[in-house]
Amino acid sequence: MRYAETGYNLEIDLATGNIERVETDPKLMERHLGGLGTSVKLHWDRVGPEVKPFDAENLLIFSSGLFNATPAFSANRTVVTFVSPQSELLAYPMMGGFWSSELKYAGYDKVLLKNKSPKWVYIYINNDKVEIRDASHLKGRGALETQDLIRAELKDPKVQVAAIGLAGENRCYTASIEQSRSSASRLGGGAVMGDKKVKAIAVRGTKDINLYDGEKFNEIMKGVTEYIKYRNAYPIPHVMTILSGIGSPQEMKHTDEKWHSENFMWGNARVRRRDFWTPEHAEDWTTTQLSAIKRLISCFNCPQQCGALISYKDTPRYMAKCFGKLTYSMASMVDRLDFNFRILQRATEYGMDSFSTPQILAFAVECKEAGVFTDSDFKGCPEDKEGRFIWLLDRVANREGIGDILADGTWWAAQKLGKVAQELAHNTIKKHEQLPLKLSTLDPLYFLMYSTNEKISITQIEGNWPQGAFPTMEQREEFVKDWPQLPDPSWKQWLLEWEPRGEKGIPYYPTPEIASQIVDWMEMLHNIDDAVCMCAGMSSFCLKPPYHIHNFPKLISAATGLDLDETSLKKIVNRSRNLHRAYNNRRGMTRADEKPPQDHWKNRFPELEEKLLDTYYTFKGWNKDGIPTKERLHELDLDYVYEDLQKRGIYKDGQSQEKDKNN
């Protein structure tokens, strides 16, 4: 009997229509756990570095994790993996909701979509019954509309549907996959799904999931439950509101947006409006938000209500979460939140990433102002800011006119538009739009997180360490006195010594050695989350979370029957992390790609940045180009990876050994 996993993947060849229920090797779970870990292994084995994003050979994998469909609170993520059309690397956006648990109840851990369909289809999974159905009647329909139409067609309101809209059909590089109250948004999964002509995947399941020791698992979960209650009752003081609690940033619950509106950048990550949050704006934004939210909602088996059902004026209802409530207003320089709730519904129906897309539209405005686009390019475009953004959004989603260029994202569009546009497309990492931030002085922790993580998007990288030094020793002492989640209690001293400025402030502190350990710890937690498919808001993303390195091994052991401690669990996730890194190295990623936007921080320190990378690479067991060494890969039982990299000539000038990194 298999525990915590079903032991079966569903493989669908879209070209031939062949559907196969494939039993998986139990050793895969032992070596990579599940979720992202086992998906990366599948890509390594089956999608070579020569495969392009829109090649038939690009696998699109929808994966559940070990904790989905179990009593673990907030284990509801679906990890979607594919070679990204935007970064050309292996991407893994995640969506919450109910889809992943429904998939496991149907008897599958993953759905693998291979090759391309000759016509538009949707997949219907109902336990052992799996069908490829005609979707010609759904072509051109919105992502939300498609979900409703499929539920009506199947006469089952409980079926969970992941769907794309027009942006996915038209292979827009920022096309998302929408589902329930969530979406897999970043790096173009919707475009790959559209390229394969799959409009949606609908799933319904009624089977059981087995735990190795359910009694022990539930006993550990009692402690997690009590801690969740405690944290909800006692938010962390002296930090910004959205960091004071647990769960995904509860933007729908909180209305005070002084920090975001005055610290995040407006337009195409250009302008910081330090005095924006006036009493008038505070009243208007609060009133708008409260009137727009019909009710707060949660994902599967989660008590936190991080999302919301939006019913705003005459705008059709939709689900919303997190920072998406602000992105379109801030990018368009429209001071009212009213606009954001209206255009966000339209963008969600199109199926578009609400972090990248607003920046693309703002980039288009800048290109017009700089003369890159002409009046004829904008013929028919309204003059007002709101109308202009809606006009641009429509053209990007439909790839009409200049929208055909913009639909590839700011980096790719700028390559076609020339030097001036390239200077305007300034807020990307590895060809992908980042959060619209402009900060003062280089932060060593964030420099490493932005630069080196395979996720590329900072929202799934940052985590358990506070975002800035506390101004007083009293506040620091209060924070560290109750911090059992740390991997080592001695780390408390680092926070106590961290000052807002001076020799023990940024950029010189945390030191490269300390920063490497902190970033590695936070990254490790994300990789555990992505293997068990836990919401990062209950583990790796938030401060002092209910799930952490000390209880994860016990929970995973009770669920699976593996005998894990902290050391063995860390080895497993490091194995998957280094396999992912090697996969992207094999696709051409090197140290030259590991840099945040040039103007992300006003004050930069090139020598320190190089030292940070050198120190972190050494700590990780990577050579000076950021490639795992032979010794590191051997430690992680990945000798076959070294042999492949060596054969392909990935190592340069003998940089395959640990000792060579500092030469």
Side-chain angles (χ1 to χ4, degrees):
M1 180 180 291
R2 304 285 281 271
Y3 298 104
E5 59 175 356
T6 70
Y8 292 93
N9 291 340
L10 183 63
E11 298 203 15
I12 301 174
D13 189 324
L14 297 165
T16 65
N18 184 60
I19 299 170
E20 189 174 1
R21 181 173 179 257
V22 179
E23 185 173 6
T24 57
D25 185 347
K27 293 188 180 299
L28 275 177
M29 188 265 282
E30 295 174 13
R31 291 175 58 82
H32 296 281
L33 293 183
L36 176 64
T38 46
S39 289
V40 170
K41 183 63 166 69
L42 286 166
H43 282 278
W44 176 274
D45 290 343
R46 297 168 63 170
V47 184
E50 72 284 350
V51 174
K52 303 299 182 185
F54 294 134
D55 286 349
E57 295 80 9
N58 188 10
L59 283 178
L60 181 61
I61 303 178
F62 291 73
S63 182
S64 68
L66 288 181
F67 284 177
N68 292 136
T70 76
F73 283 134
S74 309
N76 47 47
R77 263 35 188 177
T78 304
V79 179
V80 186
T81 49
F82 52 91
V83 175
S84 165
Q86 195 167 32
S87 69
E88 299 183 313
L89 304 173
L90 183 61
Y92 60 107
M94 288 166 280
M95 56 188 179
F98 296 77
W99 198 93
S100 58
S101 298
E102 204 70 32
L103 181 69
K104 285 185 76 173
Y105 288 140
Y108 309 99
D109 296 312
K110 301 179 190 290
V111 176
L112 284 73
L113 299 182
K114 302 183 292 185
N115 296 319
K116 301 184 183 185
S117 171
K119 63 178 183 179
W120 283 101
V121 298
Y122 77 89
I123 312 299
Y124 176 41
I125 305 165
N126 187 350
N127 292 327
D128 296 333
K129 179 182 178 182
V130 182
E131 303 174 50
I132 301 176
R133 293 191 164 203
D134 178 68
S136 57
H137 60 300
L138 299 173
K139 188 177 185 299
R141 301 285 191 170
L144 307 180
E145 182 185 16
T146 295
Q147 296 175 48
D148 290 338
L149 289 170
I150 288 176
R151 290 191 187 97
E153 184 175 309
L154 298 174
K155 298 181 173 60
D156 187 352
K158 293 184 178 180
V159 70
Q160 298 301 313
V161 184
I164 60 172
L166 274 172
E169 291 182 19
N170 293 320
R171 303 196 313 182
C172 300
Y173 285 12
T174 61
S176 59
I177 302 169
E178 299 292 329
Q179 175 264 140
S180 184
R181 56 127 293 181
S182 192
S183 62
S185 297
R186 315 227 68 187
L187 291 164
V192 175
M193 192 164 164
D195 182 62
K196 294 184 178 297
K197 283 190 165 55
V198 176
K199 183 66 176 177
I201 307 178
V203 61
R204 184 79 171 94
T206 57
K207 298 181 181 181
D208 293 328
I209 301 298
N210 299 302
L211 298 178
Y212 177 76
D213 190 339
E215 184 176 356
K216 184 175 182 180
F217 189 91
N218 286 330
E219 186 63 32
I220 300 169
M221 280 304 303
K222 287 181 181 178
V224 173
T225 303
E226 289 305 311
Y227 185 80
I228 291 172
K229 292 179 180 178
Y230 167 78
R231 280 298 312 278
N232 285 337
Y234 299 100
I236 296 174
H238 315 305
V239 298
M240 67 185 74
T241 304
I242 63 168
L243 295 180
S244 64
I246 53 177
S248 294
Q250 297 187 8
E251 287 289 295
M252 298 300 156
K253 186 174 293 185
H254 300 303
T255 58
D256 184 352
E257 291 299 343
K258 179 178 176 62
W259 191 87
H260 278 132
S261 64
E262 295 188 347
N263 288 279
F264 277 36
M265 304 301 289
W266 294 64
N268 180 27
R270 288 292 180 187
V271 180
R272 186 173 178 180
R273 303 174 71 183
R274 293 180 179 272
D275 300 317
F276 174 79
W277 197 248
T278 63
E280 292 75 20
H281 283 138
E283 180 180 1
D284 180 59
W285 282 37
T286 299
T287 301
T288 299
Q289 180 172 328
L290 294 178
S291 66
I293 294 174
K294 185 70 174 178
R295 66 172 181 271
L296 297 173
I297 53 177
S298 300
C299 296
F300 177 85
N301 198 24
C302 181
Q304 291 309 103
Q305 295 182 315
C306 302
L309 173 63
I310 305 299
S311 178
Y312 187 63
K313 296 182 177 178
D314 58 350
T315 301
R317 292 187 178 189
Y318 65 103
M319 311 285 189
K321 63 185 188 301
C322 199
F323 190 57
K325 79 172 188 185
L326 307 177
T327 53
Y328 285 95
S329 283
M330 292 181 68
S332 62
M333 300 292 291
V334 173
D335 289 359
R336 300 195 65 225
L337 203 57
D338 167 274
F339 173 62
N340 205 97
F341 280 119
R342 288 187 285 108
I343 193 173
L344 182 59
Q345 187 279 333
R346 194 185 196 96
T348 304
E349 195 73 90
Y350 280 144
M352 304 185 81
D353 173 14
S354 62
F355 281 77
S356 287
T357 307
Q359 290 187 60
I360 294 169
L361 307 185
F363 165 75
V365 172
E366 286 190 347
C367 285
K368 173 65 166 59
E369 293 171 347
V372 176
F373 288 137
T374 65
D375 289 342
S376 62
D377 292 322
F378 271 67
K379 185 178 181 180
C381 178
E383 295 292 329
D384 66 290
K385 295 176 181 178
E386 295 185 11
R388 180 173 59 189
F389 247 54
I390 291 172
W391 184 88
L392 284 167
L393 178 69
D394 291 345
R395 270 135 195 85
V396 171
N398 288 279
R399 280 191 175 270
E400 293 179 356
I402 60 173
D404 189 37
I405 297 174
L406 297 169
D408 292 347
T410 59
W411 190 91
W412 289 101
Q415 305 314 299
K416 297 178 181 178
L417 294 171
K419 184 177 179 180
V420 174
Q422 290 168 19
E423 293 174 354
L424 298 176
H426 63 102
N427 194 43
T428 60
I429 298 176
K430 298 168 185 171
K431 307 169 186 172
H432 176 55
E433 292 80 15
Q434 293 302 300
L435 281 182
L437 286 172
K438 288 287 187 305
L439 302 173
S440 176
T441 301
L442 177 95
D443 182 323
L445 294 174
Y446 276 77
F447 172 82
L448 287 177
M449 287 189 285
Y450 270 115
S451 299
T452 65
N453 196 275
E454 311 307 331
K455 179 69 180 182
I456 302 177
S457 170
I458 193 64
T459 52
Q460 289 291 336
I461 301 169
E462 60 187 336
N464 285 188
W465 194 263
Q467 292 190 0
F470 291 100
T472 69
M473 182 58 70
E474 290 76 16
Q475 290 175 353
R476 294 172 218 164
E477 290 174 343
E478 182 179 0
F479 187 87
V480 303
K481 70 180 180 183
D482 179 25
W483 203 2
Q485 294 87 350
L486 279 178
D488 189 319
S490 66
W491 289 21
K492 293 180 181 180
Q493 190 61 33
W494 298 342
L495 190 105
L496 291 174
E497 294 178 4
W498 193 17
E499 299 280 355
R501 58 189 61 84
E503 293 182 359
K504 284 296 183 79
I506 61 171
Y508 307 108
Y509 198 88
T511 65
E513 292 75 18
I514 294 173
S516 294
Q517 294 183 66
I518 293 173
V519 170
D520 179 71
W521 165 55
M522 293 194 290
E523 177 189 90
M524 174 190 65
L525 289 175
H526 278 290
N527 277 274
I528 296 172
D529 282 348
D530 299 342
V532 302
C533 285
M534 176 65 62
C535 171
M538 297 294 268
S539 173
S540 54
F541 183 81
C542 61
L543 300 174
K544 300 184 177 182
Y547 298 98
H548 46 78
I549 189 56
H550 304 307
N551 60 14
F552 261 136
K554 299 173 184 177
L555 281 165
I556 295 172
S557 297
T560 64
L562 296 175
D563 184 15
L564 296 180
D565 57 17
E566 294 175 21
T567 300
S568 55
L569 176 57
K570 185 173 182 179
K571 181 176 181 179
I572 292 173
V573 297
N574 268 324
R575 178 182 296 129
S576 298
R577 169 71 175 93
N578 279 268
L579 182 63
H580 196 161
R581 158 72 41 158
Y583 186 89
N584 283 339
N585 292 146
R586 197 166 67 164
R587 294 193 65 84
M589 188 189 76
T590 68
R591 183 187 184 115
D593 301 299
E594 308 263 57
K595 53 188 178 183
Q598 185 58 39
D599 57 352
H600 186 81
W601 292 285
K602 181 178 180 180
N603 300 307
R604 297 291 290 265
F605 300 82
E607 290 185 6
L608 176 59
E609 293 176 21
E610 292 303 308
K611 184 177 181 181
L612 280 164
L613 281 181
D614 285 340
T615 304
Y616 187 67
Y617 285 178
T618 300
F619 182 84
K620 298 291 285 187
W622 301 343
N623 68 22
K624 67 179 184 180
D625 281 335
I627 303 169
T629 64
K630 178 180 180 180
E631 292 180 6
R632 182 58 170 151
L633 293 171
H634 178 71
E635 290 173 5
L636 298 171
D637 309 309
L638 294 173
D639 296 280
Y640 67 91
V641 174
Y642 166 73
E643 293 170 3
D644 184 271
L645 297 180
Q646 180 78 346
K647 181 179 179 181
R648 294 178 185 275
I650 303 299
Y651 296 112
K652 307 298 182 185
D653 303 322
Q655 297 168 13
S656 61
Q657 300 293 327
E658 187 80 19
K659 65 179 184 295
D660 291 327
K661 289 197 302 300
N662 296 316
N663 290 348

